[in-house]
Amino acid sequence: MPFAIDKSGSALICHPEGQVNSANAATFEADLMAQVDQGEQRIVLDMGRLDYISSAGLRVVLLLAKKLKQSGGALILCDIQPNVREVFEISGFLAILKVCATRAEAIAALN
């Protein structure tokens, strides 16, 4: 699954694009976990270019959040598109994950 990576201060910003579904969730997970294994502790998932996320994608986000929390890090989601936000809302993930409206707010919350 293609995603761009930027760095802002101590925050790593990942921009998933298109869809996260059962066909690409394993690759998405491996790529994100590799970032954590390389020492990244503060990650922003900028969902501005994500059109769809399946339950497999939700699982990846949850695993990432748990791994970061266990190592003293943090995950913040931002710029969630309405249709993707609805999936997070229905699943109850918005109650357990930190979400900011903009990337700037997410970076400020982490730094």
Side-chain angles (χ1 to χ4, degrees):
M1 120 136 279
F3 66 92
I5 295 177
D6 295 321
K7 191 83 169 159
S8 178
S10 64
L12 182 79
I13 300 105
C14 298
H15 311 268
E17 296 181 23
Q19 300 185 359
V20 180
N21 53 40
S22 58
N24 61 15
T27 303
F28 186 49
E29 178 181 347
D31 291 346
L32 288 171
M33 295 306 172
Q35 295 296 325
V36 177
D37 292 342
Q38 292 171 15
E40 295 297 341
Q41 291 292 304
R42 293 170 168 72
I43 297 179
V44 172
L45 281 182
D46 184 334
M47 308 292 227
R49 294 181 258 178
L50 190 67
D51 302 320
Y52 173 80
I53 190 164
S54 71
S55 59
L58 289 174
R59 179 186 159 279
V60 172
V61 173
L62 187 60
L63 288 173
L64 177 62
K66 284 184 177 181
K67 185 167 185 166
L68 287 168
K69 186 174 182 178
Q70 288 171 351
S71 63
L75 173 68
I76 298 182
L77 309 181
C78 69
D79 197 18
I80 304 176
Q81 299 303 305
N83 52 333
V84 173
R85 185 178 196 87
E86 184 177 357
V87 173
F88 276 93
E89 207 169 280
I90 290 168
S91 67
F93 279 38
L94 291 183
I96 59 173
L97 296 172
K98 181 153 178 68
V99 178
C100 292
T102 66
R103 181 195 319 188
E105 288 175 17
I107 292 168
L110 284 177
N111 287 326

